[in-house]
Amino acid sequence: MTTIEFDLLCAINYLSEDRRAKGLPSLSDIAIFLRGSDLSRRKAFTHKYDLYGKYEVITNEEVNCYLDELIKDKLIIYKGGYSLTKEGVAVIADLKPEALENPYIKANEAVERGEDYQYIGQ
């Protein structure tokens, strides 16, 4: 698995769980998020994956090629948007288990302990 393929798995996981999501992430959602070109997006993502804006020059076509490979490897599926399979979740859990933690729970626990917790970008 290449670095960008893993990053795509993480992006799909984050965008699927985003509280503001109105459905499964599309190709454009994923590519825009990796480029960090949508300035309205929260950067809480960087706490988990450190990917926001990592691929400044990647095109939608390039992202689509990598997504096709992930579909062939049965790590993601497409049903009106992209989502992880159990195998895709297992890859993230194996390579970066903290990436599957909910950042909102982490923030709430820090506040309860009296710590000053702030998302990057706020």
Side-chain angles (χ1 to χ4, degrees):
M1 164 161 299
T2 64
T3 301
I4 190 169
E5 287 173 338
F6 180 70
D7 290 349
L8 286 167
L9 290 180
C10 291
I12 291 168
N13 183 62
Y14 177 83
L15 292 169
S16 298
E17 294 179 346
D18 190 338
R19 288 180 175 180
R20 295 156 302 152
K22 294 180 172 59
L24 296 174
S26 68
L27 167 64
S28 293
D29 293 333
I30 297 164
I32 286 170
F33 197 79
L34 286 180
R35 289 192 296 263
S37 55
D38 182 349
L39 299 179
S40 67
R41 285 279 187 190
R42 286 172 78 125
K43 294 182 185 176
F45 184 78
T46 58
H47 280 277
K48 293 172 72 174
Y49 309 116
D50 195 25
L51 295 183
Y52 187 89
K54 182 175 177 181
Y55 299 97
E56 292 179 13
V57 295
I58 194 165
T59 65
N60 287 25
E61 292 77 19
E62 290 172 302
V63 171
N64 194 39
C65 290
Y66 287 112
L67 292 174
D68 286 343
E69 287 300 313
L70 293 172
I71 289 172
K72 285 181 196 168
D73 293 341
K74 297 188 169 117
L75 298 177
I76 64 172
I77 57 173
Y78 182 83
K79 288 187 176 178
Y82 295 91
S83 63
L84 298 177
T85 62
K86 288 180 183 177
E87 293 84 358
V89 173
V91 168
I92 296 175
D94 185 48
L95 295 177
K96 196 167 185 179
E98 68 275 15
L100 296 175
E101 296 173 6
N102 185 323
Y104 301 106
I105 291 174
K106 186 176 178 183
N108 290 340
E109 288 172 351
V111 170
E112 287 171 6
R113 290 191 303 270
E115 298 173 12
D116 182 23
Y117 188 93
Q118 190 173 37
Y119 287 114
I120 291 175
Q122 285 186 327

